[in-house]
Amino acid sequence: MKLRYLVVLLSLGMAAGVMPLGGYAQTPTTEPDMVAPDVEIEPETEAEAEAEPEEAEPGLTAIEAYNQGVERYNSGDYEAALAAFDMAIEKDPTLAGAYLYRGLIYADQNNYDRALIDLNQALDLDPNNANVLFARGSVYYRQGSSAEAQADFNAALEANPDAVDAYLYRGLIDSQQGRYDLALEDFSTAIELDPDNPSAYVLRGFALERVNNYSDAVADFSRAIELQGDLPRAYMGRGVAYYQLGLYDAALDDLNQAVQRDSSMARAYLNRSYVFYRQGRPNRALQDLDRAIELNPDLTEAYMSRGTIRAAQNNLSGAQQDFARVLQLNPDSAMAYKQKGDALLQAGDATAAIADYTEALFLDPTYAAAFKARGDARLSTGDVFGAIDDYSQALEVQPDYLEAYSARGSAYLQVNQAQDAYQDLTQAIVSAPNSADPKLFYNRGVVRARLGDDAGARRDFEQAAQLYLQQGEAAGYRQTLNQMSQL
């Protein structure tokens, strides 16, 4: 009877194992947008027993002490379990299962070095034990050793192709390293093996968002919520997917649910701030960003987004402080240098802005928007040819960059290179036939007048005047009429 009990208990090696759940992060650009997320692992265990831990009975055999340890482990009494496994190992140093469980307890206590010692010993005694391989892989994962973790998960799946958690962890690693096709395959396999596993749907939902498949992501998050209603990250993930689908009210409802269910989840506030911003409620967005930063002072995305909103509200010193904080946390953020440069230029410090744009371009030589911004800054200092050079580099990186064509055309106009100006302005207008920018037509009208094309100039001025009038820009309208009168 005891031997049969031992066999059953040994089969429970990972019964209380960890279950991957996801976190999600977004990074704003000039307007808050959502990208894909960070993911964390959280253990799901039973509550700690409130009773005082019992000492292992000194007269037990190794197997009896081991079985007692398993019972106490499964009840959540880890201290008593640890004492029992210590006794089992002392009486029989070849009992691999005792090392496995003791390693799990050390891992739960974040004592990863001790955990690895025991798990390595278990593998020495039982090299193909899928439970031990999985346990060691999860410890490597928590330590940030992805390659070692993936090797263990691969080996665990060779030993046991039905190890659901190994598929989840392996998919998680693939997702974090951008191999979304492989991640989706593993998450789907896990779902086939265990259709009622909410974590598998949550992780696949986040991977689907990474490949912009938001409709299927909504379906996965919804299924996870059906299986286990109290899943803040599932609500957050579904809210993000709704946001990307333009369903802002539904997104807000889900993100409210996420915050209500876990008020300490910084990324839920971060994501909700994007919805508020898109709904035209920047002050509510700022409140959420403040809360996200309070919960996680190292959340770079929150500083980026808050800096963007502060700049839009003309709080330029606050914006500069936020972007500077991003650079403290991530000195290689080209976007932060670019955004900080924008705030400096808006504040009238073109020289400092040029320095920040230059840093952004040093970090990312293909950053077309930084070339365009540096060109604008140079133009404001009177360096027209420097501006033209920057606009040209922006177009070399991004040939369809209409704003760069428009800016370079205007710069050419300033240095009387009328034919070049005409080509650039025409390219911008033709590429955006529904453009509502009256300045484009006004500048081309000026160029055409200089080239002797009075009829073409008049058509452009008429279009510019109409757009200025529609937009209520009286000064531009009067300036355009004045130019027409001189034809």
Side-chain angles (χ1 to χ4, degrees):
M1 179 65 69
K2 288 182 179 178
L3 289 177
R4 180 179 299 174
Y5 186 47
L6 174 61
V7 172
V8 173
L9 289 172
L10 284 173
S11 72
L12 296 176
M14 296 307 298
V18 292
M19 299 289 286
L21 284 177
Y24 197 59
Q26 290 75 38
T27 305
T29 54
T30 53
E31 177 184 357
D33 286 319
M34 299 191 177
V35 297
D38 292 334
V39 191
E40 298 177 354
I41 296 300
E42 292 186 353
E44 291 183 356
T45 61
E46 297 181 12
E48 294 284 345
E50 295 182 1
E52 291 294 326
E54 301 176 11
E55 295 294 332
E57 300 172 20
L60 297 178
T61 66
I63 290 176
E64 289 171 337
Y66 170 83
N67 285 339
Q68 187 178 92
V70 173
E71 289 177 341
R72 291 173 177 176
Y73 179 91
N74 286 335
S75 70
D77 190 353
Y78 296 144
E79 291 186 35
L82 190 61
F85 292 131
D86 286 343
M87 175 178 290
I89 290 169
E90 181 180 350
K91 291 178 179 290
D92 183 359
T94 67
L95 200 55
Y99 290 104
L100 165 60
Y101 272 100
R102 196 168 71 174
L104 291 174
I105 293 170
Y106 285 136
D108 183 72
Q109 296 172 344
N110 298 324
N111 190 345
Y112 300 133
D113 291 338
R114 288 287 300 274
L116 287 174
I117 291 172
D118 274 351
L119 295 172
N120 286 332
Q121 182 63 34
L123 285 171
D124 286 342
L125 295 166
D126 189 0
N128 295 315
N129 188 307
N131 285 335
V132 183
L133 288 164
F134 172 79
R136 190 175 70 174
S138 68
V139 172
Y140 280 137
Y141 179 90
R142 295 184 194 185
Q143 287 184 317
S145 303
S146 296
E148 291 83 354
Q150 190 159 39
D152 274 351
F153 296 138
N154 289 339
L157 289 169
E158 287 181 13
N160 178 14
D162 294 336
V164 172
D165 284 348
Y167 284 111
L168 295 183
Y169 269 94
R170 192 173 71 174
L172 188 55
I173 292 171
D174 282 330
S175 183
Q176 290 172 338
Q177 296 182 356
R179 298 186 292 267
Y180 304 119
D181 53 339
L182 295 176
L184 288 168
E185 183 178 331
D186 273 351
F187 296 146
S188 296
T189 300
I191 288 170
E192 290 175 10
L193 292 169
D194 186 3
D196 294 332
N197 187 323
S199 293
Y201 290 100
V202 170
L203 288 174
R204 192 172 71 173
F206 285 124
L208 287 166
E209 287 184 337
R210 290 286 192 176
V211 296
N212 302 324
N213 187 347
Y214 301 112
S215 297
D216 285 349
V218 166
D220 271 355
F221 291 127
S222 297
R223 178 59 178 153
I225 291 168
E226 289 174 10
L227 291 168
Q228 184 178 338
D230 191 21
L231 284 176
R233 285 180 174 79
Y235 282 105
M236 181 172 67
R238 193 171 68 177
V240 169
Y242 280 141
Y243 175 96
Q244 295 287 9
L245 292 169
L247 303 173
Y248 302 129
D249 290 340
L252 185 58
D253 288 343
D254 271 351
L255 291 166
N256 284 339
Q257 286 286 339
V259 168
Q260 290 170 12
R261 293 168 188 276
D262 186 355
S263 60
S264 66
M265 192 162 57
R267 296 189 185 281
Y269 291 98
L270 170 66
N271 291 331
R272 194 172 66 175
S273 76
Y274 297 147
V275 180
F276 283 138
Y277 187 86
R278 183 58 64 92
Q279 290 181 331
R281 302 160 72 185
N283 291 330
R284 286 299 304 273
L286 286 173
Q287 289 177 356
D288 270 358
L289 292 168
D290 289 343
R291 178 60 176 154
I293 289 169
E294 179 183 349
L295 291 168
N296 183 357
D298 294 336
L299 190 56
T300 56
E301 299 98 320
Y303 291 104
M304 283 292 295
S305 189
R306 192 173 70 176
T308 299
I309 296 174
R310 283 176 163 178
Q313 293 183 332
N314 210 36
N315 180 2
L316 302 179
S317 62
Q320 291 171 37
Q321 290 172 7
D322 278 338
F323 298 135
R325 176 61 176 152
V326 174
L327 291 169
Q328 286 180 339
L329 296 168
N330 180 14
D332 294 332
S333 174
M335 180 183 291
Y337 275 112
K338 195 268 182 186
Q339 296 286 79
K340 184 163 164 280
D342 289 346
L344 288 165
L345 183 59
Q346 190 176 342
D349 192 347
T351 301
I354 290 170
D356 275 348
Y357 294 139
T358 301
E359 286 293 333
L361 290 166
F362 175 78
L363 293 166
D364 183 1
T366 66
Y367 200 166
F371 278 118
K372 163 66 166 58
R374 192 173 68 177
D376 293 342
R378 284 178 165 171
L379 193 65
S380 72
T381 67
D383 182 8
V384 182
F385 289 104
I388 290 172
D389 182 62
D390 273 341
Y391 298 144
S392 298
Q393 291 191 71
L395 288 166
E396 185 175 340
V397 172
Q398 185 178 327
D400 61 348
Y401 198 167
L402 301 185
E403 291 83 357
Y405 277 115
S406 175
R408 191 174 68 174
S410 298
Y412 278 138
L413 182 59
Q414 289 190 34
V415 293
N416 295 316
Q417 293 181 219
Q419 191 59 50
D420 290 329
Y422 175 78
Q423 290 176 355
D424 275 354
L425 294 169
T426 298
Q427 179 66 40
I429 290 170
V430 170
S431 299
N434 297 320
S435 173
D437 183 1
K439 193 69 176 176
L440 268 178
F441 293 96
Y442 175 85
N443 285 337
R444 195 175 68 168
V446 172
V447 170
R448 280 180 156 174
R450 291 184 184 180
L451 292 172
D453 180 9
D454 287 353
R458 182 173 295 277
R459 288 194 297 272
D460 278 344
F461 287 140
E462 288 174 349
Q463 181 67 22
Q466 182 179 356
L467 290 171
Y468 277 130
L469 193 60
Q470 290 174 356
Q471 296 171 15
E473 295 187 30
Y477 179 71
R478 287 194 297 271
Q479 183 181 29
T480 304
L481 293 181
N482 182 56
Q483 288 287 340
M484 290 176 64
S485 69
Q486 298 175 28
L487 292 176

